[in-house]
């Protein structure tokens, strides 16, 4: 009997999944299930099977809340297919482990230790004991913001554009979910171009995108300490300051460069140009909607948008990119080195040296992934480097903006972008720790030596 118990315990330890690995496997499973459903004739408007690569690309883009497409969302997918895409967006935005935890909470009214570990790994929960409350707040915040966005959008579509109640409600619901989750999927062939000059559509969407891009840890802290900004954590301060700064810089940059471009902002009145410039600065936070043709923008505008997309939004939210906190940490490291100081201090707090290594690791892995994918796509297609680089960054940062070349890529290039989207949504550190399973503990140290730098 004792041997049997011991054998059972060994089997349980053997199949135990590391929390980071559970996140990766959860997203992969959702991706595969979504692919299978989207392949069905029921999911296409024509009633025919969708080929594997197109279905996989769309499912990955939805689960990873990216928005890149290889088929026309408005004309290819049936009502059932669009509902599936919306559910995949919601699932990917909330997080697979958060969603699984919610199901467990509803059905069993409790969390197992393993469920709490998995949810904590994905939500960046502040403490192990607060996971249940974090899951509830994440779901509540998501639904409330999406509902408020829907309340703004649906009546506007109904009264402003003559849609019947059902169509207006569907448009409002789909765009509310897609906006808050930073997905970039729209129900028009030309995305949001028909509403480019309408602030009653564009601004509520921008608000939902910005809120989704802040990250759930920021929401958690603001709910607890909204009136005590001096007590906010370094993470919250970095996210809020960096988000505000990048929105202002991005808006000015895009608006100024495209002001006289007759193919983009130049055809509109000044107030509309400002609105469109701001709208696209928000989209680079990893949302991916477009209200003008991005393919007609200047090359220098693309380059600036590359940088903004690469940075992305806040951690543990619906945004992608390397995250604004990573960018801010690297900025302060540089400032500290230039000043000759020994420790990196941010908002009166000293930065842990482990964070230095994490930030550098994330950026270098991201750059390596993007450059490798871009080179591979250029070899397969012969396309211009600037357009391919834009698509690669957009995929990795889970943005969804496109210069218009994605739909014409061969299967090999599409699969390359699928890998980039998956890596970008999961995060290089999460994927790396899932592969390594655990950190190695070294019980010795080597002698120090300094190579020449620069």
């Amino acid at each position: 009997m004792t041997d049997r118990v011991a054998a059972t315990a060994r089997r349980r330890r053997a199949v135990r999944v590391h929390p980071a690995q559970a996140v990766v496997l959860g997203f992969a499973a959702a991706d595969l299930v979504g692919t299978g459903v989207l392949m069905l004739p029921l999911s296409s408007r024509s009633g025919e099977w969708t080929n594997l690569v197109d279905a996989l690309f769309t499912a990955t883009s939805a689960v990873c809340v990216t928005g890149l497409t290889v088929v026309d969302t408005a004309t290819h997918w049936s009502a059932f297919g669009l509902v599936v895409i919306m559910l995949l967006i919601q699932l990917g935005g909330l997080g697979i482990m958060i969603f699984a935890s919610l199901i467990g909470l509803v059905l069993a009214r409790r969390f197992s230790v393993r469920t709490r570990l998995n949810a904590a790994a994905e939500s960046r929960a502040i403490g192990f004991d607060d996971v249940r409350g974090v899951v509830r707040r994440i779901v509540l915040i998501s639904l409330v913001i999406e509902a408020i966005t829907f309340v703004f959008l649906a009546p506007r579509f109904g009264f402003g554009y003559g849609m019947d109640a059902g169509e207006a409600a569907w448009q409002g619901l789909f765009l509310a979910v897609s906006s808050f989750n930073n997905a970039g999927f729209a129900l028009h062939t030309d995305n949001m171009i028909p509403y480019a000059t309408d602030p009653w559509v564009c601004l509520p969407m921008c608000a939902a995108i910005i809120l989704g891009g802040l990250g759930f840890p920021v929401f958690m802290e603001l709910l607890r300490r909204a009136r005590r900004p001096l007590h906010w954590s370094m993470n919250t301060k970095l996210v809020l300051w960096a988000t505000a700064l990048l929105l202002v810089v991005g808006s000015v940059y895009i608006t100024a460069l495209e002001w006289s471009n007759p193919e983009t902002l130049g055809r509109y009145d000044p107030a509309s140009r400002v609105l469109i410039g701001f709208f696209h600065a928000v989209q680079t936070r990893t949302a991916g909607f477009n209200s003008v043709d991005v393919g007609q923008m200047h090359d220098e505008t693309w380059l600036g948008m590359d940088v903004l997309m690469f940075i992305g939004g806040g951690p543990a939210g619906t945004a992608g990119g390397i995250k604004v906190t990573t960018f801010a940490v690297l900025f302060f490291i540089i400032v500290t080195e230039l000043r000759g100081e020994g420790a990196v201090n941010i908002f009166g707090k000293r930065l842990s040296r482990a964070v230095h290594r994490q930030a550098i690791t994330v950026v270098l892995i991201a750059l390596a992934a993007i450059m490798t994918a871009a080179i591979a796509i250029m070899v397969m297609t012969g396309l211009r480097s600037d357009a391919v680089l834009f698509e690669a960054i957009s995929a990795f940062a889970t943005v969804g903006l496109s210069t218009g070349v994605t739909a014409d890529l061969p299967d090999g290039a599409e699969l390359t972008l699928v890998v980039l989207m998956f890596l970008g949504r999961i995060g290089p550190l999460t994927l790396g720790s899932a592969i390594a399973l655990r950190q190695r503990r070294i019980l010795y140290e080597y002698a120090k030596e300094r190579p020449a730098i620069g």
Side-chain angles (χ1 to χ4, degrees):
M1 187 69 178
T2 304
D3 293 340
R4 184 179 301 175
V5 172
T8 302
R10 285 194 298 270
R11 285 195 297 271
R12 287 179 178 176
R13 285 195 296 270
V15 300
R16 184 173 294 172
V17 178
H18 188 276
Q21 192 179 54
V23 174
V24 176
L25 294 175
F27 270 92
D31 195 358
L32 293 177
V33 172
T35 299
V37 176
L38 290 178
M39 288 179 65
L40 298 175
L42 180 63
S43 297
S44 68
R45 183 167 294 187
S46 65
E48 299 177 353
W49 289 84
T50 299
N51 73 69
L52 174 62
V53 175
D54 289 348
L56 174 63
F57 192 99
T58 303
T60 305
S61 186
V63 170
C64 297
V65 290
T66 304
L68 286 174
T69 58
V70 291
V71 296
D72 188 351
T73 303
T75 60
H76 179 84
W77 303 109
S78 65
F80 175 78
L82 291 174
V83 170
V84 170
I85 291 173
M86 185 179 70
L87 293 177
L88 291 175
I89 290 170
Q90 186 72 80
L91 182 62
L94 280 176
I96 304 300
M97 295 302 105
I98 301 299
F99 183 79
S101 300
L102 175 66
I103 296 299
L105 184 62
V106 171
L107 296 180
R109 297 187 181 277
R110 62 185 178 87
F111 285 161
S112 66
V113 173
R114 177 56 48 183
T115 298
R116 293 165 75 183
L117 285 171
N118 292 340
E122 187 166 5
S123 66
R124 309 297 196 271
I126 297 170
F128 179 74
D129 294 331
D130 71 343
V131 174
R132 182 181 303 190
V134 167
V135 169
R136 286 173 171 166
R137 292 189 189 99
I138 286 175
V139 174
L140 180 62
I141 288 170
S142 301
L143 296 180
V144 167
I145 295 177
E146 289 171 358
I148 293 173
T149 308
F150 169 80
V151 168
F152 276 96
L153 294 179
R156 181 59 180 170
F157 290 133
F159 296 111
Y161 295 91
M163 298 181 185
D164 59 53
E167 183 181 3
W170 170 236
Q171 287 274 350
L173 177 62
F174 190 94
L175 287 177
V177 172
S178 187
S179 296
F180 176 73
N181 290 289
N182 280 225
F185 280 90
L187 296 176
H188 292 282
T189 300
D190 47 1
N191 206 270
M192 299 306 296
I193 292 178
Y195 313 106
T197 61
D198 190 346
W200 295 101
V201 172
C202 293
L203 293 182
M205 291 177 61
C206 286
I209 290 164
I210 293 170
L211 292 174
L214 291 179
F216 294 116
V218 173
F219 279 114
M220 298 299 107
E221 183 155 23
L222 292 179
L223 286 174
R224 294 195 307 269
R225 304 173 179 173
R227 299 182 179 180
R228 293 185 292 170
L230 294 179
H231 294 85
W232 290 349
S233 67
M234 182 189 298
N235 180 78
T236 296
K237 292 178 180 178
L238 285 177
V239 170
L240 294 178
W241 278 104
T243 297
L245 177 63
L246 292 174
L247 283 174
V248 172
V249 171
S251 299
V252 173
Y253 182 88
I254 295 172
T255 304
L257 290 182
E258 295 296 319
W259 187 267
S260 301
N261 185 348
E263 300 299 325
T264 56
L265 271 63
R267 67 177 68 179
Y268 299 102
D269 61 87
S272 296
R273 296 181 198 184
V274 173
L275 174 63
I276 295 170
F278 172 73
F279 184 81
H280 283 82
V282 172
Q283 305 317 308
T284 60
R285 311 315 316 290
T286 82
F289 295 102
N290 65 283
S291 59
V292 294
D293 187 355
V294 175
Q296 298 299 320
M297 288 181 170
H298 297 308
D299 293 350
E300 52 269 32
T301 307
W302 285 356
L303 185 59
M305 294 173 73
D306 285 343
V307 175
L308 293 171
M309 291 191 298
F310 183 73
I311 295 172
T318 61
I322 62 169
K323 306 297 188 291
V324 291
T325 46
T326 305
F327 174 77
V329 163
L330 292 178
F331 172 79
F332 281 106
I333 290 175
I334 293 172
V335 170
T336 300
E337 284 298 314
L338 293 177
R339 290 177 175 176
E341 299 174 354
V344 179
N345 300 310
I346 305 175
F347 300 124
K349 297 289 183 66
R350 181 168 57 86
L351 192 68
S352 169
R353 291 191 179 276
V355 178
H356 301 197
R357 299 193 301 270
Q358 291 173 352
I360 294 170
T361 300
V362 167
V363 171
L364 291 181
I365 292 178
L367 289 174
I370 290 169
M371 294 309 299
T372 300
I375 292 171
I377 293 173
M378 283 189 285
V379 169
M380 285 185 275
T381 63
L383 292 170
R384 293 168 45 191
S385 60
D386 53 355
V388 172
L389 184 62
F390 190 97
E391 304 294 313
I393 293 175
S394 181
F396 177 84
T398 67
V399 179
L401 290 171
S402 174
T403 59
V405 303
T406 299
D408 299 323
L409 294 177
D411 288 350
E414 290 182 12
L415 292 175
T416 302
L417 291 181
V418 165
V419 174
L420 270 183
M421 288 189 287
F422 190 82
L423 176 60
R425 182 65 182 111
I426 298 300
L429 280 182
T430 301
L431 186 60
S433 60
I435 295 172
L437 293 184
R438 64 181 183 271
Q439 293 182 341
R440 294 177 58 196
R441 186 179 180 183
I442 306 297
L443 300 178
Y444 57 87
E445 290 185 357
Y446 292 106
K448 290 184 178 180
E449 186 173 350
R450 295 186 62 178
I453 300 296

